[in-house]
Amino acid sequence: MTYSIVARRQAPGRVLEPDQFGGEGWQALDVKGWDLCVRSLAGASSEDRFDTIDRLSCVVLGSPTNLARLRSVAAVFDSDAVTASVAKLFRILYAALGTPAFALVEGPFNYLEFTEDTVFAANDALGMQPLHIVKGRHLWLTSELKYVGRIEPGVFRFLPTQAVVESDNRPDDYLPIDNARRLKPGSCIRLFLDGAAHATANASTYHVPRLTIAQHLSPAEAKRWMADLLTEMVQSSVDTADRILIPLSGGLDSSMVTSLASRKRADIETFALGTGHSNEFPFARIVAEHVNTRHQEINFSSLDIVDGIDQAIFHNEIFDGLSAEIQSTLMCFYRSVGGQGARVVTGYGSDLLFGGVLDRTDSFENINARLWAQIYRTRWTGEFSPFGAAAFGLDVQHPFWRPALIGFATSLAPQMKMSERDVKIALRECAEECDLLPASIVWRKKIGIHEGSSVNAIFADHVGTSVKDYKQKTIYCYERYMSYLNGHAMPGENLK
């Protein structure tokens, strides 16, 4: 998988070299008018992700999950699509269908076309594969801002801390940086450079997600759709020659993913993650024994968790306290199991789709709006970005976080997300009726990913605040975010 790009308008006497970025997997590409480097997972090649077609230099980043289906569509327009490079496949689709072609792609991606004086770029509908434009002494396009900060120190004009923490109501292309722009999820942009190298950007959207009116589906029909979609998403995620590693808490979401994955492959490896404060090991064991996975238990120290928070801020460029907290255990997991030829598959995101974040005080008429606000929030937080896993040599897939499943779940009737009995009611009944899991797991009380191992309390103790004080946690994250992007510190170091 090729997952990161840094491109700079060429300047006399200045050339970007892969060794300037540190780490393995960087490769320079020959593109007229641009210095361009891409990064792939260790042992992976970027060969089919880069192609020159009709004087266009085409690049694909990320891990689109439905390439076989895309090839079958593209073959209608060009028979070469069946065997073409991934870059040429995207070019065929875009040339034939225009920007709506990108709505066909499942999974995180960027597609870029370079000429000497223009750049075209498109990203995935959910914003999982971010792309940024930075205007400093040079014009930059980059997946990860920290590499621009490393090459051009002091380039970023950060917003004041108070302006960042005072409100959580942000557009989905939000960045706390005055001279940087994040490409809006589900959109395309074309940059034109004039004779003096000044840039003009024209942007358009191909996918604008909105909250819709609730479906008029019977519970039985809704659960059939749910079962079919989940099966397709999970089993496509494990359809690879790589090892499959699943962080398994014993909660409903990771347990359903494990059960469905085990119906596709018999060699699933599961890992229960805990801390010295608490863990969910007994529940994870029940699931691992039920579906017969190779199962391990890993305990992290409080220092590990704090380092995981810092790793989340650094790699996924997260400045939001809640998102960094939630990602910390996954970062510790990536570090523990990292290596070539492995894919992590998670149950992350299900709570926002099916009601796991709800409580009995929520009124039914507001349930879908509340969940939609949480889904929209993920489009700027960085929590679904691939860079944390990739830093440790891993590809990561989140089967719940696919446009088809999100579109279905957001329009489910509120009564299927919460009842007098419990939250996530339809998802629980679906798991029970499909005989995926024991009843003790299906009807287990919901616990957040950051609560089951007391990560929220560990973070609060480290910051010196209360467990629910996410303003102070965000201030902590934003201070590190600024320092990391400026190249002043690395995770594990004191801020300068």
Side-chain angles (χ1 to χ4, degrees), residues 280-357:
E280 301 174 85
F281 291 171
F283 300 101
R285 282 182 213 133
I286 292 171
V287 178
E289 291 171 4
H290 181 75
V291 298
N292 194 30
T293 65
R294 305 173 192 172
H295 188 65
Q296 298 181 45
E297 296 172 351
I298 306 175
N299 256 316
F300 300 118
S301 68
S302 294
L303 289 177
D304 290 332
I305 294 299
V306 171
D307 183 64
I309 291 167
D310 290 349
Q311 295 282 351
I313 299 166
F314 178 80
H315 291 299
N316 280 3
E317 300 182 349
I318 293 173
F319 59 86
D320 174 67
L322 176 61
S323 301
E325 178 179 281
I326 291 172
Q327 286 294 301
S328 61
T329 308
L330 282 175
M331 290 292 165
C332 293
F333 173 63
Y334 297 151
R335 184 178 54 216
S336 296
V337 303
Q340 296 182 26
R343 172 177 288 179
V344 175
V345 181
T346 82
Y348 194 49
S350 171
D351 284 339
L352 308 186
L353 302 184
F354 295 105
V357 296

Coordinates of all heavy atoms in Angstrom, one line a residue, residues 280-357:
E280 N -10.9 -6.2 29.7 CA -12.1 -6.9 29.4 C -11.7 -8.3 28.9 O -12.4 -8.9 28.1 CB -12.8 -6.1 28.3 CG -13.2 -4.7 28.6 CD -13.8 -4.0 27.5 OE1 -15.1 -4.1 27.2 OE2 -13.1 -3.2 26.8
F281 N -10.7 -8.8 29.4 CA -10.1 -10.1 29.0 C -11.2 -11.3 29.1 O -11.2 -12.1 28.1 CB -8.9 -10.5 29.8 CG -7.7 -9.6 29.5 CD1 -6.5 -9.7 30.2 CD2 -7.7 -8.7 28.4 CE1 -5.4 -8.9 29.9 CE2 -6.6 -7.9 28.1 CZ -5.5 -8.0 28.9
P282 N -11.9 -11.4 30.2 CA -12.9 -12.5 30.2 C -13.9 -12.6 29.1 O -14.2 -13.6 28.6 CB -13.6 -12.3 31.6 CG -12.6 -11.6 32.4 CD -11.9 -10.6 31.4
F283 N -14.4 -11.4 28.7 CA -15.3 -11.3 27.6 C -14.7 -11.7 26.3 O -15.3 -12.4 25.4 CB -16.0 -9.9 27.5 CG -16.7 -9.5 28.8 CD1 -16.1 -8.7 29.7 CD2 -17.9 -10.0 29.1 CE1 -16.7 -8.3 30.9 CE2 -18.6 -9.6 30.3 CZ -18.0 -8.8 31.2
A284 N -13.5 -11.2 26.1 CA -12.8 -11.5 24.8 C -12.5 -13.0 24.7 O -12.6 -13.5 23.6 CB -11.5 -10.7 24.7
R285 N -12.2 -13.6 25.8 CA -11.9 -15.1 25.8 C -13.2 -15.8 25.3 O -13.1 -16.8 24.6 CB -11.5 -15.5 27.2 CG -10.1 -15.2 27.5 CD -9.7 -15.8 28.9 NE -8.8 -14.9 29.6 CZ -8.8 -14.5 30.8 NH1 -9.9 -14.8 31.6 NH2 -7.9 -13.7 31.3
I286 N -14.3 -15.4 25.8 CA -15.6 -16.1 25.4 C -15.7 -16.1 23.9 O -16.1 -17.1 23.3 CB -16.8 -15.4 26.1 CG1 -16.8 -15.6 27.6 CG2 -18.1 -15.9 25.5 CD1 -17.8 -14.7 28.4
V287 N -15.5 -14.9 23.3 CA -15.6 -14.8 21.8 C -14.6 -15.6 21.1 O -14.9 -16.3 20.2 CB -15.6 -13.3 21.4 CG1 -15.7 -13.2 19.9 CG2 -16.7 -12.5 22.1
A288 N -13.3 -15.5 21.6 CA -12.2 -16.2 20.9 C -12.5 -17.7 20.9 O -12.2 -18.4 20.0 CB -10.9 -15.8 21.6
E289 N -12.9 -18.2 22.1 CA -13.2 -19.6 22.1 C -14.4 -20.0 21.3 O -14.5 -21.1 20.7 CB -13.5 -20.0 23.6 CG -12.2 -19.9 24.5 CD -12.5 -20.1 25.9 OE1 -13.6 -20.4 26.3 OE2 -11.5 -20.0 26.7
H290 N -15.4 -19.1 21.2 CA -16.6 -19.4 20.5 C -16.3 -19.6 19.0 O -16.9 -20.4 18.3 CB -17.6 -18.3 20.7 CG -19.0 -18.5 20.0 ND1 -19.9 -19.4 20.4 CD2 -19.5 -17.9 18.9 CE1 -21.0 -19.3 19.6 NE2 -20.7 -18.4 18.7
V291 N -15.5 -18.7 18.4 CA -15.2 -18.8 17.0 C -13.8 -19.4 16.7 O -13.4 -19.5 15.5 CB -15.3 -17.4 16.3 CG1 -16.7 -16.8 16.5 CG2 -14.3 -16.4 16.9
N292 N -13.1 -19.8 17.7 CA -11.8 -20.5 17.6 C -10.7 -19.7 16.9 O -10.2 -20.1 15.8 CB -12.1 -21.8 16.8 CG -10.9 -22.8 16.9 OD1 -10.2 -22.8 18.0 ND2 -10.7 -23.6 15.9
T293 N -10.4 -18.6 17.4 CA -9.3 -17.8 16.9 C -8.0 -18.1 17.7 O -8.1 -18.6 18.8 CB -9.6 -16.3 17.0 OG1 -9.7 -15.9 18.4 CG2 -10.9 -15.9 16.3
R294 N -6.9 -17.7 17.1 CA -5.6 -17.6 17.9 C -5.6 -16.4 18.7 O -5.6 -15.3 18.1 CB -4.5 -17.6 16.9 CG -4.4 -18.8 15.9 CD -3.3 -18.6 14.9 NE -3.4 -19.5 13.7 CZ -2.7 -19.4 12.7 NH1 -1.7 -18.4 12.6 NH2 -2.8 -20.2 11.7
H295 N -5.6 -16.5 20.0 CA -5.9 -15.4 20.9 C -4.8 -15.1 21.8 O -4.2 -16.0 22.4 CB -7.2 -15.7 21.7 CG -7.7 -14.5 22.5 ND1 -8.2 -13.4 21.9 CD2 -7.8 -14.3 23.8 CE1 -8.6 -12.5 22.8 NE2 -8.4 -13.1 24.0
Q296 N -4.5 -13.8 21.9 CA -3.5 -13.3 22.9 C -4.1 -12.2 23.7 O -5.0 -11.5 23.3 CB -2.3 -12.8 22.2 CG -1.5 -13.8 21.3 CD -0.3 -13.2 20.7 OE1 0.5 -12.5 21.3 NE2 -0.1 -13.4 19.4
E297 N -3.5 -12.0 24.9 CA -3.9 -10.9 25.8 C -2.7 -10.0 26.0 O -1.6 -10.5 26.3 CB -4.4 -11.4 27.1 CG -5.7 -12.2 27.0 CD -6.2 -12.9 28.2 OE1 -5.4 -13.0 29.2 OE2 -7.3 -13.5 28.2
I298 N -2.8 -8.7 25.9 CA -1.7 -7.7 26.0 C -2.1 -6.7 27.1 O -3.2 -6.0 26.9 CB -1.4 -7.0 24.7 CG1 -1.1 -8.1 23.6 CG2 -0.2 -6.1 24.9 CD1 -0.9 -7.5 22.2
N299 N -1.3 -6.5 28.1 CA -1.5 -5.4 29.1 C -0.5 -4.3 28.8 O 0.7 -4.5 28.6 CB -1.2 -6.0 30.5 CG -2.5 -6.2 31.2 OD1 -3.4 -5.4 31.2 ND2 -2.6 -7.3 31.9
F300 N -1.0 -3.1 28.8 CA -0.2 -1.9 28.6 C -0.1 -1.1 29.9 O -1.1 -1.0 30.7 CB -0.8 -1.0 27.5 CG -0.9 -1.6 26.2 CD1 -2.2 -1.8 25.6 CD2 0.2 -2.1 25.5 CE1 -2.3 -2.4 24.3 CE2 0.1 -2.7 24.3 CZ -1.1 -2.8 23.7
S301 N 1.0 -0.5 30.2 CA 1.2 0.3 31.4 C 0.6 1.7 31.1 O 0.3 2.1 30.0 CB 2.7 0.4 31.7 OG 3.3 1.2 30.7
S302 N 0.5 2.5 32.2 CA 0.0 3.8 32.0 C 1.0 4.6 31.2 O 0.5 5.5 30.4 CB -0.1 4.5 33.4 OG -1.1 3.9 34.2
L303 N 2.3 4.4 31.3 CA 3.2 5.1 30.4 C 3.0 4.7 29.0 O 3.2 5.5 28.1 CB 4.6 4.8 30.9 CG 5.1 5.4 32.2 CD1 6.5 4.9 32.5 CD2 5.1 6.9 32.1
D304 N 2.7 3.4 28.7 CA 2.4 3.0 27.3 C 1.2 3.8 26.8 O 1.2 4.2 25.6 CB 2.1 1.5 27.3 CG 3.3 0.6 27.6 OD1 4.4 1.0 27.3 OD2 3.1 -0.5 28.1
I305 N 0.2 3.9 27.6 CA -1.0 4.6 27.1 C -0.8 6.1 26.8 O -1.2 6.6 25.8 CB -2.2 4.5 28.2 CG1 -2.6 3.0 28.3 CG2 -3.4 5.4 27.8 CD1 -3.2 2.4 27.0
V306 N 0.0 6.7 27.7 CA 0.3 8.1 27.4 C 1.2 8.3 26.1 O 0.9 9.2 25.3 CB 1.1 8.7 28.6 CG1 1.6 10.1 28.3 CG2 0.2 8.8 29.8
D307 N 2.1 7.3 26.0 CA 2.9 7.3 24.7 C 1.9 7.1 23.5 O 2.1 7.7 22.4 CB 4.0 6.3 24.8 CG 4.8 6.3 23.5 OD1 5.5 7.3 23.3 OD2 4.8 5.3 22.8
G308 N 0.9 6.2 23.7 CA 0.0 6.0 22.6 C -0.8 7.2 22.2 O -1.1 7.4 21.1
I309 N -1.2 8.0 23.2 CA -1.8 9.3 23.0 C -0.9 10.2 22.1 O -1.3 10.8 21.1 CB -2.2 10.0 24.3 CG1 -3.4 9.2 25.0 CG2 -2.7 11.4 24.0 CD1 -3.6 9.6 26.4
D310 N 0.3 10.3 22.5 CA 1.3 11.1 21.8 C 1.5 10.6 20.4 O 1.7 11.4 19.4 CB 2.6 11.2 22.6 CG 2.5 12.0 23.9 OD1 1.5 12.7 24.0 OD2 3.4 12.0 24.7
Q311 N 1.6 9.3 20.3 CA 1.7 8.7 18.9 C 0.5 9.0 18.0 O 0.7 9.2 16.8 CB 1.9 7.1 19.0 CG 3.2 6.7 19.8 CD 4.4 6.8 18.9 OE1 4.3 7.0 17.7 NE2 5.6 6.5 19.5
A312 N -0.7 9.0 18.6 CA -1.9 9.3 17.8 C -1.8 10.8 17.4 O -2.2 11.1 16.2 CB -3.1 9.1 18.7
I313 N -1.4 11.7 18.2 CA -1.3 13.1 17.9 C -0.3 13.2 16.7 O -0.5 13.9 15.8 CB -0.8 13.9 19.1 CG1 -1.9 13.8 20.2 CG2 -0.6 15.4 18.7 CD1 -1.4 14.3 21.5
F314 N 0.9 12.5 16.9 CA 2.0 12.7 15.9 C 1.6 12.0 14.6 O 1.7 12.7 13.5 CB 3.2 12.0 16.5 CG 4.4 12.1 15.5 CD1 5.2 13.2 15.4 CD2 4.8 10.9 14.8 CE1 6.2 13.3 14.5 CE2 5.8 11.0 13.9 CZ 6.6 12.1 13.7
H315 N 1.2 10.8 14.6 CA 1.1 10.1 13.3 C -0.2 10.4 12.6 O -0.2 10.7 11.4 CB 1.1 8.5 13.5 CG 2.5 8.0 13.9 ND1 3.6 8.2 13.1 CD2 2.9 7.4 15.1 CE1 4.6 7.6 13.7 NE2 4.2 7.2 14.9
N316 N -1.3 10.4 13.3 CA -2.6 10.8 12.6 C -2.9 12.3 12.7 O -4.0 12.7 12.2 CB -3.8 10.0 13.3 CG -3.9 8.6 12.7 OD1 -3.0 8.1 11.9 ND2 -4.8 7.8 13.2
E317 N -2.0 13.0 13.3 CA -2.1 14.5 13.4 C -3.5 14.9 14.0 O -4.2 15.7 13.4 CB -1.9 15.1 12.0 CG -0.5 14.7 11.5 CD 0.0 15.3 10.2 OE1 -0.9 15.8 9.5 OE2 1.1 15.2 9.8
I318 N -3.7 14.4 15.2 CA -4.9 14.6 15.9 C -4.7 15.7 16.9 O -3.7 15.6 17.7 CB -5.4 13.3 16.6 CG1 -5.8 12.3 15.5 CG2 -6.5 13.6 17.6 CD1 -6.1 10.9 16.1
F319 N -5.5 16.7 17.0 CA -5.4 17.7 18.0 C -6.6 17.7 19.0 O -6.6 18.4 20.0 CB -5.3 19.1 17.4 CG -6.5 19.5 16.6 CD1 -7.6 20.1 17.1 CD2 -6.4 19.3 15.2 CE1 -8.7 20.4 16.3 CE2 -7.5 19.6 14.4 CZ -8.7 20.2 15.0
D320 N -7.5 16.8 18.8 CA -8.7 16.7 19.6 C -8.5 15.7 20.7 O -8.1 14.6 20.5 CB -9.9 16.3 18.7 CG -11.2 16.0 19.5 OD1 -11.7 16.9 20.0 OD2 -11.6 14.8 19.5
G321 N -8.8 16.1 21.9 CA -8.5 15.3 23.1 C -9.2 13.9 23.1 O -8.6 12.9 23.4
L322 N -10.5 13.9 22.8 CA -11.3 12.7 22.8 C -10.8 11.7 21.8 O -10.6 10.5 22.0 CB -12.8 13.0 22.6 CG -13.7 11.7 22.5 CD1 -13.7 10.9 23.8 CD2 -15.1 12.2 22.2
S323 N -10.5 12.2 20.6 CA -10.1 11.3 19.5 C -8.7 10.7 19.8 O -8.5 9.5 19.5 CB -10.0 12.1 18.2 OG -11.3 12.6 17.9
A324 N -7.8 11.5 20.3 CA -6.5 11.0 20.7 C -6.6 9.9 21.8 O -5.9 8.9 21.8 CB -5.5 12.1 21.1
E325 N -7.5 10.2 22.7 CA -7.7 9.2 23.8 C -8.2 7.9 23.3 O -7.7 6.8 23.7 CB -8.7 9.8 24.8 CG -9.1 9.0 26.0 CD -10.0 9.7 26.9 OE1 -9.6 10.5 27.7 OE2 -11.2 9.4 26.8
I326 N -9.2 7.9 22.4 CA -9.7 6.7 21.8 C -8.7 6.0 21.0 O -8.7 4.7 21.0 CB -11.0 7.1 21.0 CG1 -12.1 7.6 21.9 CG2 -11.5 5.9 20.2 CD1 -13.3 8.1 21.1
Q327 N -7.9 6.7 20.3 CA -6.9 6.0 19.5 C -5.7 5.5 20.2 O -4.9 4.7 19.6 CB -6.4 7.0 18.4 CG -7.4 7.3 17.3 CD -7.6 6.1 16.4 OE1 -6.7 5.6 15.8 NE2 -8.9 5.7 16.4
S328 N -5.5 5.9 21.5 CA -4.2 5.5 22.2 C -4.0 4.0 22.3 O -2.9 3.5 22.1 CB -4.2 6.2 23.5 OG -5.3 5.7 24.3
T329 N -5.0 3.3 22.6 CA -4.9 1.8 22.8 C -4.6 1.2 21.4 O -3.7 0.2 21.4 CB -6.1 1.2 23.4 OG1 -6.5 1.9 24.6 CG2 -5.9 -0.3 23.7
L330 N -5.2 1.6 20.4 CA -4.9 1.1 19.1 C -3.4 1.4 18.7 O -2.7 0.6 18.1 CB -5.8 1.7 18.0 CG -7.2 1.1 17.9 CD1 -8.0 1.9 16.9 CD2 -7.2 -0.4 17.5
M331 N -2.9 2.6 19.0 CA -1.5 2.9 18.8 C -0.6 2.0 19.5 O 0.4 1.5 19.0 CB -1.2 4.4 19.1 CG -1.9 5.4 18.2 SD -1.2 5.3 16.6 CE -2.4 6.2 15.7
C332 N -0.9 1.7 20.8 CA -0.1 0.7 21.5 C -0.1 -0.7 20.9 O 0.9 -1.4 20.8 CB -0.6 0.6 23.0 SG -0.4 2.1 23.9
F333 N -1.3 -1.0 20.4 CA -1.5 -2.3 19.7 C -0.6 -2.4 18.4 O 0.1 -3.3 18.2 CB -3.0 -2.5 19.4 CG -3.3 -3.7 18.6 CD1 -3.0 -5.0 19.0 CD2 -3.8 -3.6 17.3 CE1 -3.2 -6.1 18.3 CE2 -4.1 -4.7 16.5 CZ -3.8 -6.0 17.0
Y334 N -0.7 -1.3 17.6 CA 0.1 -1.3 16.4 C 1.5 -1.5 16.7 O 2.3 -2.2 16.0 CB -0.1 0.0 15.6 CG -1.5 0.4 15.2 CD1 -2.0 1.7 15.1 CD2 -2.4 -0.6 14.9 CE1 -3.2 2.0 14.6 CE2 -3.7 -0.3 14.4 CZ -4.1 1.0 14.3 OH -5.4 1.3 13.9
R335 N 2.0 -0.8 17.7 CA 3.4 -0.9 18.1 C 3.8 -2.3 18.5 O 4.9 -2.8 18.2 CB 3.7 0.1 19.2 CG 5.2 0.2 19.6 CD 5.4 1.3 20.6 NE 4.5 1.0 21.8 CZ 4.0 2.0 22.5 NH1 4.2 3.3 22.1 NH2 3.2 1.7 23.5
S336 N 2.9 -3.0 19.2 CA 3.1 -4.3 19.8 C 3.2 -5.4 18.7 O 4.0 -6.3 18.8 CB 2.1 -4.7 20.8 OG 2.1 -3.8 21.9
V337 N 2.4 -5.3 17.6 CA 2.2 -6.3 16.7 C 2.8 -6.0 15.3 O 2.7 -6.8 14.4 CB 0.8 -6.8 16.5 CG1 0.2 -7.2 17.9 CG2 -0.1 -5.7 15.9
G338 N 3.3 -4.7 15.2 CA 3.7 -4.2 13.8 C 4.6 -5.1 13.1 O 5.5 -5.7 13.7
G339 N 4.5 -5.2 11.8 CA 5.4 -5.9 11.0 C 4.8 -6.1 9.6 O 3.7 -5.6 9.3
Q340 N 5.6 -6.6 8.7 CA 5.2 -6.7 7.3 C 4.1 -7.8 7.1 O 4.0 -8.8 7.9 CB 6.3 -7.0 6.4 CG 7.4 -6.0 6.4 CD 8.5 -6.3 5.4 OE1 8.4 -7.1 4.5 NE2 9.7 -5.7 5.7
G341 N 3.2 -7.6 6.1 CA 2.3 -8.6 5.7 C 1.2 -8.9 6.7 O 0.7 -10.0 6.9
A342 N 0.7 -7.8 7.3 CA -0.4 -7.9 8.3 C -1.4 -6.8 8.1 O -1.1 -5.7 7.8 CB 0.1 -7.9 9.7
R343 N -2.7 -7.2 8.3 CA -3.8 -6.2 8.2 C -4.6 -6.2 9.5 O -5.0 -7.3 10.0 CB -4.7 -6.5 7.0 CG -6.0 -5.6 7.0 CD -6.8 -5.9 5.8 NE -6.2 -5.4 4.6 CZ -6.7 -5.5 3.3 NH1 -7.9 -6.2 3.2 NH2 -6.1 -5.0 2.3
V344 N -4.8 -5.1 10.1 CA -5.6 -4.9 11.2 C -7.1 -4.6 10.8 O -7.3 -3.8 9.9 CB -5.1 -3.8 12.2 CG1 -6.1 -3.6 13.3 CG2 -3.7 -4.1 12.7
V345 N -8.0 -5.3 11.4 CA -9.4 -5.1 11.1 C -10.2 -4.8 12.4 O -10.0 -5.6 13.3 CB -10.1 -6.4 10.4 CG1 -11.5 -6.1 10.1 CG2 -9.3 -6.7 9.1
T346 N -10.8 -3.7 12.5 CA -11.4 -3.3 13.7 C -13.0 -3.2 13.7 O -13.6 -3.3 12.6 CB -10.9 -1.9 14.1 OG1 -11.7 -0.9 13.4 CG2 -9.5 -1.7 13.8
G347 N -13.6 -3.1 14.8 CA -15.0 -2.8 14.9 C -15.3 -1.3 15.2 O -16.4 -1.0 15.5
Y348 N -14.3 -0.5 14.9 CA -14.4 0.9 15.2 C -15.5 1.6 14.4 O -15.6 1.3 13.2 CB -13.0 1.6 15.0 CG -12.9 2.9 15.6 CD1 -13.2 3.2 16.9 CD2 -12.3 4.0 14.8 CE1 -13.0 4.5 17.4 CE2 -12.1 5.2 15.3 CZ -12.5 5.5 16.6 OH -12.3 6.7 17.1
G349 N -16.2 2.5 15.0 CA -17.2 3.3 14.2 C -18.7 2.8 14.4 O -19.6 3.6 14.2
S350 N -18.9 1.6 14.8 CA -20.2 1.1 14.9 C -21.1 1.8 15.9 O -22.3 2.0 15.7 CB -20.1 -0.4 15.4 OG -21.4 -0.9 15.7
D351 N -20.5 2.3 17.0 CA -21.3 3.0 18.0 C -22.0 4.3 17.4 O -23.1 4.6 17.8 CB -20.4 3.5 19.2 CG -20.1 2.3 20.1 OD1 -20.8 1.3 20.1 OD2 -19.1 2.4 20.8
L352 N -21.3 4.9 16.5 CA -21.9 6.1 15.9 C -23.0 5.8 14.9 O -23.9 6.6 14.7 CB -20.8 7.0 15.2 CG -19.5 7.3 16.1 CD1 -18.6 8.2 15.3 CD2 -19.9 7.9 17.4
L353 N -22.9 4.6 14.3 CA -23.9 4.2 13.4 C -25.2 3.7 14.0 O -26.3 4.0 13.6 CB -23.3 3.2 12.4 CG -22.1 3.6 11.6 CD1 -21.7 2.4 10.7 CD2 -22.3 4.9 10.9
F354 N -25.0 2.8 15.0 CA -26.1 2.0 15.5 C -26.6 2.4 16.9 O -27.4 1.8 17.5 CB -25.8 0.6 15.4 CG -25.6 0.1 14.0 CD1 -24.3 -0.2 13.5 CD2 -26.7 -0.1 13.2 CE1 -24.2 -0.6 12.2 CE2 -26.5 -0.5 11.9 CZ -25.3 -0.8 11.4
G355 N -26.0 3.5 17.5 CA -26.5 4.0 18.7 C -25.8 3.7 20.0 O -26.3 3.9 21.1
G356 N -24.5 3.2 19.9 CA -23.8 2.9 21.1 C -23.5 4.1 22.0 O -23.2 3.9 23.2
V357 N -23.5 5.3 21.5 CA -23.2 6.5 22.3 C -24.5 7.1 22.9 O -24.4 8.1 23.6 CB -22.5 7.6 21.4 CG1 -21.1 7.0 21.0 CG2 -23.3 8.0 20.2

